[in-house]
Amino acid sequence: MIAYCHGMTRPSVKVLVALALAVASVGIAAPASAATLTVSQYESQIATLVNQARASAGLKALTVDASISSVARTWSGKMASTGSFAHNPSYATQYPSGWTAAAENIAYGAVTSGQYPASTIHTNLMNSSGHRANILNASTTHLGVGVAFVSRGGYNYVYVTENFGTYPYGVASAGGTSSATASTPFDQIVPTPDMTGDGYGDAFGVDKDGRLYLYAGASNGALRLSRVYGTGWADLGVRAPGDWNGDGRADLVATKPNGDLLLYTGNGSGALSAAGKIGNGWTGFRIIPAGDVNGDRAADLLAIDPKGDLYLYPGNGHGGFGARLKVGNGWTGFELYSTGDMNRDGRVDILGVDAKGYLWYYAGRGGGYFSQRVQVGNGWNTYTFASGADINRDGYGDLLGRDSQGRLYFYAGQRGGSFAMKQLVGTGW
């Protein structure tokens, strides 16, 4: 008695779609293996057979990862305990972060005595085109194998799950670190409204090699690595405006050197779609993702042109813009930051740091305009700052500041445009 099933998951434009093709057969039980293997020995033998098959096909061996194996082992155990045979519907979301493609093979075999051989499991998987394709996928880098044994109805069953993952820059561990070591200091640090679905603001980082990283926020402002997207971001100016297309999920926009504006929609759990062009002519503009500035419930952009004029580009809630509106001038020499609603009047506010390092608070007054500035600090020109998210989920926009030694500090926003004492949340940035 033996059955097999395989599935594959890849990032799509907006969601992760699991594609499963199932085949099953029941026939004469295979002969029992000569020696009885433990669970770990059986798993090791399956992994060895997979890599031997890849070597014969001229492919690189897969790295067996403990975290992915834990996902596989848990699912095999569930199939064994329930007597069911079906794919894990959530296997890809249970993987450690950083993957760009994922796939799964499942199989079981049974004999009346002894143990169903691992070699027979593998041979039958290789004889099935779908399962073989998963095993011999040239882009796959990591493997997890999980095995469970159970005796039931006069048969000794073995359930096997093979989970495959493509990790171009390594697997992020449960603690949030990653073998995808960033080439620091980061060229860009960009806070973002919640990208991962946990309610806390997050932060993007672009390293010197052009890789994009997502760091998930926490209640104390700490950041942990959540996802690595890949290379090609070095020439893009990354911005995080929040929900730009009106689907309730945070998105990312980026400018190309030629002035094109690109939209990468988020899926609510950290994944991004392929880029779509939503504008051009942005060369020379300093873009500030500011949230809903004009009160129409759609995310907007503020932008300073080369002359120092400040414009509001109202989002239409569907990934595009309405007509721009000039809302200020004289912004040459200022760094502008979005903060959200800092005085709890229902309007978005902004902060500015001038050339002398003075920190100015500009309360929103509706329609995209701002009230007379109020000085709320000084000495702010010794840091490189980034804003645009309520990282600690207390209702106020926060700041991340990096000093000349690469230390990253978290500044929790407070009512009226002020900030709590800084907290060190990272080094080497």
Side-chain angles (χ1 to χ4, degrees):
M1 181 186 300
I2 184 167
Y4 301 93
C5 187
H6 79 271
M8 180 174 290
T9 299
R10 293 184 184 275
S12 71
V13 171
K14 286 191 176 181
V15 297
L16 296 177
V17 180
L19 304 175
L21 299 174
V23 294
S25 63
V26 178
I28 300 173
S33 57
T36 300
L37 304 178
T38 65
V39 166
S40 60
Q41 289 171 337
Y42 205 106
E43 291 172 346
S44 178
Q45 191 170 120
I46 291 288
T48 297
L49 290 167
V50 166
N51 279 329
Q52 286 175 349
R54 290 178 63 86
S56 297
L59 301 174
K60 291 183 179 179
L62 302 180
T63 299
V64 179
D65 181 79
S67 297
I68 303 175
S69 293
S70 179
V71 174
R73 194 174 299 119
T74 298
W75 189 249
S76 289
K78 181 173 182 178
M79 289 191 293
S81 64
T82 61
S84 60
F85 182 63
H87 275 294
N88 177 358
S90 305
Y91 70 89
T93 64
Q94 295 167 3
Y95 278 21
S97 64
W99 60 270
T100 57
E104 179 179 82
N105 288 343
I106 58 175
Y108 76 83
V111 289
T112 55
S113 62
Q115 187 179 69
Y116 197 94
S119 59
T120 307
I121 289 280
H122 176 73
T123 297
N124 283 279
L125 286 171
M126 290 294 291
N127 286 337
S128 166
S129 61
H131 303 92
R132 179 185 178 90
N134 283 344
I135 292 170
L136 300 183
N137 188 327
S139 68
T140 302
T141 59
H142 288 71
L143 169 68
V145 178
V147 169
F149 301 127
V150 67
S151 295
R152 183 175 53 246
Y155 285 92
N156 296 331
Y157 289 81
V158 58
Y159 287 82
V160 177
T161 302
E162 297 175 341
N163 283 127
F164 304 89
T166 302
Y167 286 84
Y169 302 104
V171 178
S173 73
T177 59
S178 174
S179 57
T181 303
S183 61
T184 55
F186 285 97
D187 286 343
Q188 298 181 65
I189 301 172
V190 183
T192 171
D194 180 27
M195 288 290 299
T196 58
D198 62 1
Y200 295 99
D202 307 316
F204 288 108
V206 179
D207 74 2
K208 297 172 67 176
D209 291 333
R211 291 176 292 198
L212 179 69
Y213 297 79
L214 177 64
Y215 290 84
S219 60
N220 61 353
L223 299 169
R224 61 176 178 81
L225 181 61
S226 176
R227 186 179 285 266
V228 185
Y229 296 92
T231 58
W233 298 83
D235 294 330
L236 300 180
V238 175
R239 306 289 186 271
D243 176 19
W244 189 252
N245 63 353
D247 65 356
R249 305 180 180 100
D251 306 312
L252 182 148
V253 296
T255 50
K256 296 175 65 176
N258 67 357
D260 287 349
L261 188 67
L262 307 177
L263 171 65
Y264 300 80
T265 59
N267 76 340
S269 61
L272 295 172
S273 74
K277 182 178 174 180
I278 59 173
N280 54 40
W282 288 82
T283 303
F285 281 78
R286 288 182 285 153
I287 301 173
I288 303 94
D292 178 16
V293 176
N294 60 2
D296 65 355
R297 298 187 180 181
D300 307 314
L301 295 181
L302 291 169
I304 302 172
D305 72 7
K307 297 186 297 183
D309 292 338
L310 180 66
Y311 288 91
L312 170 68
Y313 290 80
N316 63 12
H318 304 288
F321 298 96
R324 76 174 187 176
L325 175 68
K326 185 177 178 179
V327 294
N329 54 40
W331 286 86
T332 303
F334 278 78
E335 294 295 333
L336 188 59
Y337 304 100
S338 60
T339 63
D341 181 11
M342 299 292 287
N343 58 6
R344 296 295 176 90
D345 66 353
R347 302 184 180 99
V348 170
D349 309 319
I350 58 175
L351 294 168
V353 178
D354 65 18
K356 296 181 180 179
Y358 294 139
L359 181 66
W360 302 93
Y361 170 65
Y362 299 79
R365 56 186 178 91
Y369 295 94
F370 299 92
S371 300
Q372 188 71 25
R373 70 183 187 180
V374 177
Q375 185 180 343
V376 292
N378 55 47
W380 289 74
N381 55 350
T382 59
Y383 293 84
T384 300
F385 285 98
S387 69
D390 176 15
I391 294 176
N392 62 357
R393 203 171 63 178
D394 65 354
Y396 297 104
D398 306 314
L399 289 180
L400 294 173
R402 177 177 57 183
D403 67 13
S404 60
Q405 299 180 46
R407 292 175 294 202
L408 189 68
Y409 293 94
F410 170 70
Y411 293 80
Q414 299 180 139
R415 190 181 185 95
S418 63
F419 294 89
M421 291 291 293
K422 66 183 181 183
Q423 302 175 51
L424 180 66
V425 294
T427 58
W429 287 72

